[in-house]
Amino acid sequence: MKPVIVDAARTPFGKREGWLSGVHAAELLGYAQKGVLDRVGVDPDAVDQVIGGCVTPLGEQFGNVVRTSWMHAGLPLKAGCTTIDAQCGTAQQSVQLIAGQIAIGAVEVGVACGVELMSRAPLTYKVGTGLGTPRPESWSLDTVDQYTAADRIAVKRGFSREDLDAFGLRSQQRAAAAWEAGRFDSHIIDVVAPGSDVPVHRDQGLRESSLEGLAKLRTVQEGGLHTAGTSSQVSDGASAALLMSEDRAKALGVRPRAKILAQCVIGGDTEFMLDGPVDAANIVLGRTGLTIDDIDLFEVNEAFASVPMSFAKVHGVDPELLNVNGGAIALGHPAGATGIRLLANVIDELERRDKSIALIAICASAATTGLILERI
């Protein structure tokens, strides 16, 4: 069966200890799960499987948070629910997994989703009490942290601190312009936070920025290149996408919005870790026979400024086609939810521009995701 993307949407993204920090993760993800079905008018009983997850499945996000959210939102118990941790590519990989399930005929209707309440479950290294550490004592691989990796990529590609700051400013300016023009309104699911009767509709991470102000920020690492102004933000948010087989969508009278032409998941090397989108693009382009010039829009997650900058430099991408509405530096990066934000944004933007093809990639060390989709 041919899988199609019927819709993709998300909650607003709140900043650390911000508007959404008082919402339980299961409640926030439930907003997204139920919201994407309500937007299309599809009966929840039609859903066969739900796959989603988060990067820090501890505390309030522990257990099968996808199932907990689904049940708490009052959705049908018969749907199978699976929670994954695929690092920053979690939500996008959930889409890819649902698409694969549809392609082999295992399900006809599926929901992909993701959530991260980073205010309540910080994205930090976790060690269980009395349960040892994740790596055995004999571990010998030299693996770097993400901050070192981002700086290494910048040095490798010849990006200066000033270059990175300029990209950080670009992200803020583009995101602010996109919100001002209402370009995100169509894929936002409003959330009512505890203690308030006013729904949250807007992302909270946008900041007034200037090159002079960015230049004054201290680097994340001593002697490094990236700062808080050129790194993704600690955020709270959730997202969801509805996928179906082409035949089932037709039977239900639902108009699909896009289809996946190729997808991949790859690991990153241990020296640069976050540069995986460069190789992921080569794979999905090779599988489709397309070239960079055939792609109308590019979304490469702004984990750090050097990641999309490296992608653009290696592949010769027109900067006017890359992250056209800003990215995680300005909008935030609730790690488990970001993948579907990118999809929702790029599908909306393809429709707005009357264009067809987009490439989306998210660096995630061990699980970098890449896909090419076509607007229907």
Side-chain angles (χ1 to χ4, degrees), residues 230-275:
T230 52
S231 307
S232 56
Q233 297 185 36
V234 172
S235 310
D236 304 321
S239 62
L242 176 62
L243 288 82
M244 298 183 186
S245 69
E246 193 173 47
D247 291 343
R248 189 64 184 278
K250 187 178 297 183
L252 292 175
V254 174
R255 183 184 70 85
R257 299 180 67 194
K259 61 183 178 181
I260 298 174
L261 300 182
Q263 63 184 50
C264 74
V265 179
I266 64 170
D269 64 51
T270 58
E271 184 179 2
F272 296 99
M273 189 172 74
L274 303 177
D275 216 18

Side-chain angles (χ1 to χ4, degrees), residues 55-59 116 120-129 132-134:
V55 179
T56 310
L58 297 174
E116 208 77 45
R120 300 165 77 96
L123 200 67
T124 56
Y125 189 71
K126 303 295 192 300
V127 178
T129 302
T133 60

Side-chain angles (χ1 to χ4, degrees), residues 29-63:
L29 183 54
Y31 269 104
Q33 293 169 334
K34 189 174 186 300
V36 78
L37 295 169
D38 290 345
R39 284 162 53 91
V40 181
V42 168
D43 187 339
D45 278 317
V47 177
D48 301 308
Q49 188 170 8
V50 188
I51 299 177
C54 64
V55 179
T56 310
L58 297 174
E60 294 178 2
Q61 298 176 161
F62 179 74

